[in-house]
Coordinates of all heavy atoms in Angstrom, one line a residue:
Chain B
D180 N 1.2 17.4 14.1 CA 0.5 16.1 14.4 C 1.5 15.2 15.1 O 2.7 15.1 14.7 CB 0.0 15.4 13.2 CG -0.8 14.2 13.5 OD1 -0.2 13.1 13.5 OD2 -2.0 14.3 13.7
G181 N 1.1 14.4 16.1 CA 1.9 13.4 16.6 C 2.6 13.7 17.9 O 2.7 14.9 18.3
R182 N 2.8 12.6 18.7 CA 3.6 12.8 19.9 C 4.8 11.9 19.9 O 4.8 10.9 19.1 CB 2.7 12.5 21.1 CG 2.0 11.1 21.1 CD 1.1 10.9 22.3 NE 0.6 9.5 22.4 CZ -0.6 9.2 22.0 NH1 -1.5 10.1 21.6 NH2 -1.1 8.0 22.1
M183 N 5.8 12.2 20.7 CA 7.0 11.5 20.7 C 6.8 10.1 21.2 O 6.0 9.8 22.1 CB 8.1 12.2 21.5 CG 7.9 12.2 23.0 SD 9.2 13.1 23.9 CE 10.5 11.9 23.8
K184 N 7.6 9.1 20.7 CA 7.7 7.8 21.3 C 8.7 7.9 22.4 O 9.7 8.6 22.4 CB 8.2 6.8 20.2 CG 8.5 5.4 20.8 CD 9.2 4.5 19.7 CE 9.6 3.2 20.4 NZ 10.8 3.3 21.2
G185 N 8.3 7.2 23.5 CA 9.2 7.2 24.7 C 8.8 8.5 25.5 O 7.8 9.1 25.3
S186 N 9.7 8.8 26.4 CA 9.4 10.0 27.3 C 10.7 10.6 27.7 O 11.8 10.1 27.5 CB 8.7 9.5 28.5 OG 9.4 8.5 29.2
L187 N 10.6 11.9 28.2 CA 11.8 12.6 28.6 C 12.2 12.2 30.0 O 11.3 11.9 30.8 CB 11.4 14.1 28.6 CG 10.9 14.7 27.3 CD1 10.3 16.1 27.6 CD2 12.0 14.8 26.3
K188 N 13.5 12.1 30.2 CA 13.9 11.6 31.5 C 14.8 12.7 32.1 O 15.8 13.2 31.5 CB 14.7 10.3 31.3 CG 13.8 9.2 31.0 CD 14.5 7.9 30.7 CE 13.4 6.8 30.3 NZ 12.7 7.1 29.1
F189 N 14.5 13.1 33.4 CA 15.3 14.0 34.1 C 15.5 13.4 35.5 O 14.7 12.6 36.0 CB 14.5 15.3 34.3 CG 14.4 16.1 32.9 CD1 13.4 15.9 32.1 CD2 15.4 17.0 32.6 CE1 13.3 16.5 30.9 CE2 15.3 17.6 31.3 CZ 14.3 17.4 30.5
S190 N 16.5 13.9 36.2 CA 16.9 13.3 37.5 C 16.0 13.8 38.6 O 16.0 13.3 39.7 CB 18.4 13.5 37.8 OG 18.6 14.9 37.7
R191 N 15.3 15.0 38.4 CA 14.5 15.6 39.4 C 13.1 15.7 38.9 O 12.8 15.8 37.8 CB 15.1 16.9 39.8 CG 16.4 16.8 40.5 CD 17.1 18.2 40.7 NE 17.4 18.7 39.4 CZ 17.4 20.0 39.1 NH1 16.9 20.9 39.9 NH2 17.7 20.5 37.9
E192 N 12.2 15.8 39.9 CA 10.8 16.0 39.6 C 10.4 17.4 39.2 O 9.4 17.6 38.5 CB 9.9 15.5 40.7 CG 9.7 14.1 40.8 CD 8.7 13.7 42.0 OE1 8.0 14.5 42.4 OE2 8.8 12.5 42.4
T193 N 11.2 18.4 39.7 CA 10.9 19.8 39.4 C 12.1 20.4 38.8 O 13.2 20.3 39.5 CB 10.5 20.5 40.7 OG1 9.3 19.9 41.2 CG2 10.2 22.0 40.4
V194 N 12.0 21.0 37.7 CA 13.2 21.6 37.0 C 12.8 23.0 36.4 O 11.6 23.1 36.0 CB 13.8 20.7 35.9 CG1 14.4 19.5 36.5 CG2 12.8 20.4 34.9
P195 N 13.7 23.9 36.2 CA 13.4 25.1 35.5 C 13.2 24.8 34.0 O 13.8 23.9 33.5 CB 14.6 26.0 35.8 CG 15.7 25.2 36.3 CD 15.1 23.9 36.8
A196 N 12.4 25.7 33.4 CA 12.1 25.5 32.0 C 13.4 25.5 31.2 O 13.5 24.7 30.2 CB 11.1 26.6 31.5
A197 N 14.3 26.2 31.6 CA 15.6 26.3 30.8 C 16.3 24.9 30.8 O 16.9 24.6 29.7 CB 16.6 27.3 31.5
E198 N 16.1 24.2 31.8 CA 16.8 22.8 31.8 C 16.0 21.9 30.9 O 16.6 21.1 30.2 CB 16.7 22.3 33.3 CG 17.6 21.0 33.4 CD 17.7 20.6 34.9 OE1 17.8 21.5 35.8 OE2 17.7 19.4 35.1
L199 N 14.7 22.1 30.8 CA 13.9 21.3 29.9 C 14.3 21.6 28.4 O 14.5 20.8 27.6 CB 12.4 21.6 30.0 CG 11.8 21.2 31.4 CD1 10.4 21.7 31.5 CD2 11.9 19.7 31.6
L200 N 14.5 22.9 28.2 CA 14.9 23.4 26.8 C 16.3 22.9 26.4 O 16.6 22.8 25.2 CB 14.9 24.9 26.8 CG 13.5 25.5 26.8 CD1 13.5 27.0 27.0 CD2 12.8 25.2 25.4
A201 N 17.1 22.5 27.4 CA 18.5 22.0 27.1 C 18.4 20.6 26.6 O 19.4 20.1 26.1 CB 19.4 22.2 28.3

Side-chain angles (χ1 to χ4, degrees):
Chain B
D180 183 271
R182 56 180 185 258
M183 69 178 285
K184 172 185 175 283
S186 56
L187 302 169
K188 291 176 179 61
F189 291 90
S190 56
R191 292 170 293 144
E192 279 185 18
T193 299
V194 294
E198 192 172 325
L199 299 172
L200 288 166

